Amino acid sequence: MTLHAAPIVLDFEEGIDRKTLRRLRDRFLVVNDQRWQRACSALTYRQQVVLELLPLVFHRNHPALPGYLDGDCPEGVSCYTPDGRVLEAARRYARSFHYRDKGSRKPDLDSLFLMGSPGTLGHSVASDLDVWLCHRQDLPERGVHCLERKADKLSKWAATLGVELNVFVFSAADWRAGRQRVEVTGENCGSAQHFLLLDEFYRTSIHLAGQYPLWWLIPVEREADYERCRRQLVDCRFIKAGDYIDFGAVPEIPPEELPGAGIWQLYKGIDAPWKSMLKLLLIECYATDRDRPLLSASFKQAIHRGVISADALDPYVLLYQRLEQWLLASGEEHRLPLVRRSLYLKSGLPLSRASMEGDAWRVRMLRTLVESWGWNRPELKQLDDRQRWRAEDVIELRRSVVNELTHGYRLLARMAREQGTEAAISANDVNLLGRKLYAAFQRKAGKVELINPGLVSSLAEENLSFHHRSEQGGSGDGWLLYRDLEDPSDAFWQPVIRRAGNLAELLVWCYCNGLLSRSTRLNVRSGHSVASVAEVRETLDALAEALPYPLPPAPRQALSRAVRPLRNLLLLNVAVDPQAHLTERGLHKLSARNDSLGFSGARENLVATVDQVTLNSWHEVSLQHYAAGDTLIQCLKNVLAQVAVNPSELPDIRVTAPSRGHGQTIARRVSELFADVLRQFFAGGTGPHPLRYIIEMDQRYFLLQFNGREPGFVALDSRSALMTALLQPQECFLPVVPDRYALQDSPLLKAVCEASEAGNVQVFWHLQEGQGQLWVVDECGSLWQQVARVTQRRHLLAPLLRFLESVVERRQLRQIDNVEPVAGIRCYELMRRAGRWQADFRPDIQADTRISGLEVQAVGVQQGDSTLRFDLYCNNREFTVQEYGDRLIPAVAHYIRSSRQSPEAYPVYLTDLHLPHDLDPQLYQRDIQTSQYLFYRTQLEDALNRHLG
């Protein structure tokens, strides 16, 4: 029942008196005492000690009391003398404590207030205690720092008693000037919430000790004339200046303050919605309904009019009433149910439980509200049994919360844009909140939706059943999630919790949303797949090691930067047997090849499917499923594209596969592959570095290289196709790097690749048993290869070196003014040592391979149809395309044959070749690579030798 006293009307024009002012102050103190008693009643005995001792520990800096630092710490609270109850509590805490009055010493502290939810409907044992400690304005800087350290020490002491205590130290003068030392909300938004926070302070604070708020004495209708009224009270000595503390007036909330305050409430509401939802709606109400008084004004006006009941003046009740009036008046009553649920859940009182324990006054107040809302018992029970809520229930509530938070963000962002530089929050902070909101709630392809953003404590299920669609007679590879299926046939009649295209997707969703715990009993009906309970457990263990649960909010520093991957977990072959056709026959290994990407004699790729689970810096979890085509290559390309954006911070990559079959071996091989590729392309935290990487898999070759920051793969079906690709011209030097398992059947080629270097034309050879092999790595890393039947090294090397010298000589003459050195020729012999092939440099080999012979030169001619033809010259005899046309090669072959003294057939070699500079229109007037000269030389030599044979 609302208690009333006679209204007190202060007329500053006609006259006021001290007695009336004292009556008004005492009326505020009556409400204050009620709230104090209620705040204490909501705490445990140990927690009450914190509240009881707070004024005393700041009034007396005593070694026996908590928070003591040293004897020089400021002490003394103005107008405060501890009563017997406080002294008894101090003696219970420390038997050695004895209180002594220090007489007329000037106190260092003005006031001590408790603010926020204590003593209100919204308070609970779990609520924190926010305390304002106000020191005198002229306190030295050293003393202020000492108080801050003492406050921090007290917070740590309170934590040992189960209380979250936050003490904010500042002076009233600093507050009025907007230069408070500490961001009093603890959220880096104190300056953005000056008047909003003061509004909350005036209507929720509990005076613990010291001076009283002067704001109590200024009537609401004189708030706009606050300063003149204050001077009148003090200058005319209606009050003692030392008895009151002045934080200033709150005539209205400046529009530029609302976006910033709302943004930060929204920021907190993403992770803990109920309290923030109410504050966010109040900010929207203040922004759109500026004709009604602020809540602090309503609170003060009610006391001036004689309302002294803590029930009627409860801040949460006043808050709800204001929101209800506003929403009904604006035609948005559809938002009221969420407001009511937010208030009910914030209170934490389950009214439907007969044995419910709690403060009688809170229960009474909440019952009155619930009855006025018309809620029935089933509705109450459904809210009270939140610990029993299941995924379906949470998804529905989440939808309402997300809609409200998104609505709030769009409104606040629009307000911030309209106010521009006047807004008390930066555009960067608005963007920061947008990113947090996006990360928490935005849907996008592959992202795992988190359905429980602080709505309920747990969604863990006792029993979960994973059913393959084929168990229900369906086709495809989809999976269904059920609960409590003791008999699989019951699946036809039970609701499906969730459907997914593959088992990994379902498991990741269950894990990230907390449906699975260590005690959850699992059942797997695998149908046509090979999934098992053991495999599900292995996958969950891998997820638990790779992803924290619950996933903590992303730090502000991470949200202020572009998103990047933190960790990739690759789940291989989930519910799939890559060797099913061999398993049926009991065969698992047909040769000594143990590379999982080219396994056994058939060289099979044992990676059938890949599920890439990615945790990024905004703490989003996404899943990409690869099940068709070259799955592993697709996944590798995706990871490389992620890393290329920020190569200085490589993501952690973990790989796991079911233990059946060759699971551990497969996982280790894939882990090595990803580590090797990342190390090559992003060594030193930079990149992607220019190179070409060869992966051999499934009887094919994959050539990987970057185009800018975009990775690209070329699939090649044979060794000849690979060599053709390696011969292609490049824009800069690109070394060829074989994977550790690639080219095992071609160790010489692998040795050539490993020995390649920029800046020269490198010639490699190997001669054995009448067969010679040649490789040339040109100045850009393009690789040319040739095999010849020869018995002597000079016959193998001389024609090639003679040709290369002509190319290099012409390049040197043409680039005589170029400061860049022209690539020279370096020769290497491939030798086998200690079980491996390596290239040995042979610096003097060119002098030993000089031979004389027929001069055969070719000059390229670009025809009108862009066809490249060649005029040939043999010992200065000219054979032109113009003259011979398609008979050019036979004519030259005939001439060469007739010029030989021996009838024996042996190959002919070109000694020089000239290519036109418009060979490639995109590279006009650019140096043509050596590999291109070798390509055309090979074509011409092959054609001539076919006719000579």
Side-chain angles (χ1 to χ4, degrees):
M1 180 176 180
T2 302
L3 298 178
H4 287 275
I8 295 178
V9 179
L10 298 178
D11 191 337
F12 280 75
E13 303 300 332
E14 296 296 330
I16 50 179
D17 63 85
R18 296 182 181 88
K19 183 178 179 180
T20 303
L21 291 172
R22 284 196 298 271
R23 283 178 50 227
L24 182 58
R25 180 201 66 189
D26 291 343
R27 186 173 290 184
F28 275 92
L29 290 176
V30 168
V31 177
N32 192 85
D33 289 343
Q34 293 179 66
R35 286 189 178 174
W36 166 256
Q37 295 299 328
R38 290 181 170 188
C40 290
S41 68
L43 301 176
T44 65
Y45 173 78
R46 281 164 56 88
Q47 292 171 333
Q48 289 179 27
V49 173
V50 178
L51 275 185
E52 290 175 340
L53 291 182
L54 264 181
L56 183 59
V57 298
F58 286 112
H59 187 61
R60 282 292 173 267
N61 185 42
H62 195 282
L65 295 178
Y68 178 80
L69 285 174
D70 54 54
D72 293 335
C73 188
E75 63 175 1
V77 180
S78 179
C79 309
Y80 174 71
T81 301
D83 58 23
R85 176 181 55 82
V86 173
L87 294 176
E88 178 61 29
R91 283 189 288 270
R92 286 198 305 270
Y93 179 81
R95 292 182 180 273
S96 62
F97 173 74
H98 294 284
Y99 179 76
R100 284 189 311 161
D101 190 347
K102 294 193 176 182
S104 59
R105 180 185 183 277
K106 182 180 180 180
D108 294 316
L109 307 176
D110 290 338
S111 291
L112 194 67
F113 296 92
L114 179 65
M115 71 161 290
S117 62
T120 72
L121 178 61
H123 186 57
S124 67
V125 176
S127 297
D128 58 353
L129 302 179
D130 289 341
V131 173
W132 284 19
L133 177 63
C134 304
H135 58 78
R136 57 186 171 89
Q137 181 179 354
D138 59 347
L139 191 66
E141 189 74 11
R142 182 178 179 279
V144 177
H145 284 303
C146 190
L147 283 175
E148 290 173 341
R149 288 188 289 115
K150 182 170 184 174
D152 182 62
K153 192 172 182 180
L154 277 170
S155 297
K156 295 175 180 176
W157 165 73
T160 65
L161 300 178
V163 177
E164 184 181 347
L165 175 67
N166 306 298
V167 181
F168 304 104
V169 181
F170 56 94
S171 73
D174 285 341
W175 173 269
R176 292 194 304 272
R179 57 174 185 266
Q180 56 270 30
R181 295 170 55 89
V182 179
E183 302 293 1
V184 292
T185 65
E187 294 286 348
N188 291 329
C189 59
S191 61
Q193 286 196 37
H194 181 89
F195 288 100
L196 266 170
L197 195 59
L198 193 55
D199 172 61
E200 181 182 357
F201 168 79
Y202 280 146
R203 60 188 166 87
T204 69
S205 63
I206 298 175
H207 175 263
L208 299 180
Q211 300 169 352
Y212 309 108
L214 189 145
W215 176 84
W216 286 355
L217 306 181
I218 309 295
V220 170
E221 59 272 14
R222 301 300 298 269
E223 194 90 17
D225 199 22
Y226 180 92
E227 183 58 28
R228 190 171 73 86
C229 293
R230 183 196 67 79
R231 286 199 306 269
Q232 185 175 347
L233 289 173
V234 175
D235 295 347
C236 298
R237 300 186 180 179
F238 289 107
I239 61 172
K240 294 180 180 179
D243 289 349
Y244 289 89
I245 188 169
D246 181 24
F247 295 108
V250 195
E252 62 178 9
I253 307 297
E256 60 270 15
E257 188 176 303
L258 294 170
I263 287 291
W264 286 110
Q265 286 302 328
L266 188 52
Y267 191 94
K268 294 188 292 182
I270 291 173
D271 303 308
W274 308 127
K275 178 181 177 181
S276 295
M277 194 82 68
L278 295 172
K279 288 191 173 184
L280 183 63
L281 281 161
L282 178 63
I283 290 169
E284 183 181 345
C285 173
Y286 279 174
T288 58
D289 185 14
R290 304 188 69 85
D291 294 332
R292 299 175 192 264
L294 303 177
L295 284 180
S296 58
S298 299
F299 166 76
K300 180 165 67 170
Q301 190 171 54
I303 293 180
H304 279 232
R305 289 177 178 175
V307 179
I308 54 175
S309 165
D311 282 5
L313 296 173
D314 186 272
Y316 277 86
V317 173
L318 293 176
L319 170 61
Y320 171 75
Q321 291 171 346
R322 176 64 187 274
L323 294 179
E324 183 182 53
Q325 294 167 4
W326 165 60
L327 290 174
L328 291 175
S330 58
E332 295 190 86
E333 55 272 10
H334 62 279
R335 299 169 70 185
L336 259 180
L338 185 59
V339 175
R340 291 168 176 170
R341 277 188 288 186
S342 297
L343 178 59
Y344 185 84
L345 294 173
K346 173 66 178 75
S347 70
L349 295 173
L351 296 182
S352 66
R353 297 177 190 169
S355 60
M356 183 200 65
E357 296 182 1
D359 296 299
W361 63 271
R362 295 178 69 226
V363 173
R364 184 184 68 252
M365 288 173 61
L366 191 58
R367 283 197 190 281
T368 302
L369 281 171
V370 167
E371 290 171 2
S372 70
W373 299 341
W375 283 7
N376 55 37
R377 187 170 181 80
E379 287 178 285
L380 275 178
K381 187 170 179 56
Q382 200 261 349
L383 285 175
D384 292 344
D385 290 342
R386 280 195 302 151
Q387 71 275 13
R388 298 181 183 177
W389 279 10
R390 292 178 166 176
E392 304 92 314
D393 306 309
V394 173
I395 289 173
E396 181 181 355
L397 180 58
R398 177 187 183 275
R399 189 176 300 114
S400 301
V401 171
V402 172
N403 288 342
E404 190 62 52
L405 293 176
T406 304
H407 167 79
Y409 171 72
R410 289 172 179 165
L411 173 69
L412 295 165
R414 188 183 73 242
M415 291 169 58
R417 287 194 302 270
E418 291 172 351
Q419 293 166 14
T421 57
E422 295 180 358
I425 189 169
S426 67
N428 181 62
D429 284 338
V430 176
N431 292 334
L432 192 74
L433 187 275
R435 289 176 175 180
K436 184 176 176 71
L437 196 69
Y438 177 90
F441 301 127
Q442 185 70 32
R443 288 191 178 97
K444 61 181 180 181
K447 181 177 175 179
V448 178
E449 185 178 53
L450 303 182
I451 64 174
N452 183 26
L455 304 182
V456 297
S457 58
S458 174
L459 289 177
E461 295 282 352
E462 293 183 8
N463 301 279
L464 286 176
S465 295
F466 298 85
H467 283 225
H468 192 267
R469 286 186 62 185
S470 59
E471 286 283 336
Q472 316 296 331
S475 59
D477 294 323
W479 286 79
L480 311 173
L481 179 65
Y482 297 93
R483 67 168 60 88
D484 301 330
L485 283 187
E486 296 183 4
D487 185 346
S489 63
D490 291 343
F492 288 99
W493 319 107
Q494 293 294 325
V496 178
I497 300 177
R498 190 170 181 85
R499 293 176 170 85
N502 59 83
L503 181 58
E505 179 185 343
L506 206 53
L507 291 175
V508 172
W509 184 86
C510 288
Y511 172 80
C512 290
N513 284 294
L515 274 71
L516 290 158
S517 68
R518 291 287 183 183
S519 59
T520 303
R521 292 192 295 273
L522 301 177
N523 180 267
V524 176
R525 306 291 295 184
S526 56
H528 298 156
S529 77
V530 296
S532 65
V533 171
E535 180 179 344
V536 169
R537 290 285 184 197
E538 289 177 359
T539 304
L540 293 175
D541 288 343
L543 288 169
E545 290 183 5
L547 300 176
Y549 178 82
L551 200 63
R556 290 188 61 202
Q557 184 180 8
L559 291 170
S560 65
R561 301 173 55 193
V563 67
R564 65 180 183 86
L566 294 178
R567 181 172 303 135
N568 283 302
L569 172 63
L570 307 184
L571 304 172
L572 310 179
N573 300 334
V574 175
V576 173
D577 182 3
Q579 286 190 297
H581 60 292
L582 296 179
T583 303
E584 295 173 358
R585 297 157 50 194
L587 301 174
H588 284 286
K589 189 168 183 179
L590 304 179
S591 78
R593 289 187 62 92
N594 57 6
D595 177 13
S596 299
L597 306 185
F599 189 73
S600 77
R603 301 197 178 185
E604 295 177 275
N605 175 17
L606 299 187
V607 178
T609 65
V610 181
D611 288 279
Q612 178 188 347
V613 183
T614 301
L615 170 66
N616 67 28
S617 56
W618 292 0
H619 286 195
E620 297 173 291
V621 178
S622 60
L623 175 71
Q624 185 70 42
H625 180 65
Y626 305 92
D630 300 308
T631 57
L632 187 60
I633 295 299
Q634 295 170 29
C635 179
L636 179 57
K637 183 178 179 180
N638 185 300
V639 170
L640 290 173
Q642 290 178 350
V643 175
V645 177
N646 187 8
S648 62
E649 298 175 285
L650 297 183
D652 177 35
I653 296 180
R654 306 182 185 186
V655 186
T656 186
S659 58
R660 54 177 161 73
H662 302 276
Q664 292 184 351
T665 303
I666 297 171
R668 184 167 54 251
R669 170 68 178 101
V670 172
S671 181
E672 291 172 347
L673 173 66
F674 276 71
D676 291 345
V677 171
L678 289 176
R679 183 170 55 252
Q680 290 292 339
F681 280 102
F682 301 102
T686 60
H689 301 310
L691 61 95
R692 290 178 289 173
Y693 196 89
I694 301 175
I695 300 172
E696 189 173 349
M697 183 171 63
D698 200 17
Q699 303 185 52
R700 290 184 297 160
Y701 300 92
F702 294 87
L703 192 60
L704 163 63
Q705 71 183 84
F706 275 82
N707 180 15
R709 294 193 176 274
E710 184 66 28
F713 279 92
V714 177
L716 305 160
D717 293 329
S718 64
R719 177 67 56 78
S720 62
L722 172 66
M723 298 310 299
T724 299
L726 296 180
L727 182 61
Q728 297 306 306
Q730 308 297 324
E731 293 187 10
C732 62
F733 179 75
L734 289 184
V736 177
V737 180
D739 181 62
R740 66 171 71 187
Y741 284 93
L743 304 180
Q744 287 189 338
D745 295 339
S746 302
L748 296 175
L749 175 58
K750 196 164 188 175
V752 168
C753 295
E754 292 171 351
S756 64
E757 60 186 25
N760 289 291
V761 177
Q762 296 173 277
V763 177
F764 300 85
W765 86 88
H766 177 67
L767 181 60
Q768 186 175 13
E769 298 179 355
Q771 178 171 288
Q773 297 183 70
L774 285 170
W775 298 267
V776 174
V777 177
D778 77 2
E779 63 279 0
C780 287
S782 298
L783 196 153
W784 172 86
Q785 181 182 26
Q786 188 176 62
V787 178
R789 298 295 302 177
V790 294
T791 57
Q792 296 184 34
R793 182 182 65 187
R794 61 196 304 269
H795 292 157
L796 175 67
L797 292 176
L800 174 63
L801 292 177
R802 186 179 182 185
F803 177 82
L804 291 176
E805 287 170 355
S806 298
V807 173
V808 171
E809 181 182 73
R810 185 165 52 253
R811 188 175 291 156
Q812 288 174 332
L813 293 173
R814 188 168 58 250
Q815 297 184 358
I816 192 167
D817 295 328
N818 196 334
V819 295
E820 294 293 331
V822 175
I825 302 171
R826 293 170 64 88
C827 298
Y828 303 81
E829 183 176 7
L830 296 175
M831 306 290 290
R832 185 175 177 85
R833 288 195 181 91
R836 64 184 302 270
W837 289 93
Q838 63 185 45
D840 286 357
F841 179 47
R842 298 286 187 260
D844 302 325
I845 197 67
Q846 290 171 261
D848 298 336
T849 55
R850 302 289 181 187
I851 59 172
S852 59
L854 187 68
E855 292 281 344
V856 182
Q857 298 174 311
V859 176
V861 179
Q862 195 87 341
Q863 301 292 317
D865 59 357
S866 298
T867 303
L868 180 63
R869 303 291 183 89
F870 289 93
D871 294 336
L872 295 179
Y873 299 84
C874 296
N875 286 340
N876 295 321
R877 171 72 184 271
E878 182 180 24
F879 297 85
T880 65
V881 174
Q882 190 72 28
E883 179 180 356
Y884 289 93
D886 293 339
R887 298 293 303 164
L888 177 66
I889 296 298
V892 174
H894 175 76
Y895 175 79
I896 293 173
R897 194 183 304 109
S898 64
S899 300
R900 288 178 173 173
Q901 298 179 356
S902 169
E904 180 183 352
Y906 51 89
V908 67
Y909 300 99
L910 259 69
T911 55
D912 192 14
L913 182 141
H914 177 78
L915 293 173
H917 279 274
D918 56 356
L919 179 65
D920 185 345
Q922 295 180 342
L923 303 175
Y924 183 66
Q925 287 298 329
R926 174 178 166 177
D927 262 344
I928 299 171
Q929 274 184 237
T930 303
S931 61
Q932 292 173 280
Y933 285 101
L934 291 170
F935 170 76
Y936 289 109
R937 172 182 183 261
T938 302
Q939 282 192 329
L940 290 170
E941 286 180 350
D942 288 346
L944 287 170
N945 287 321
R946 280 196 300 271
H947 283 83
L948 286 172

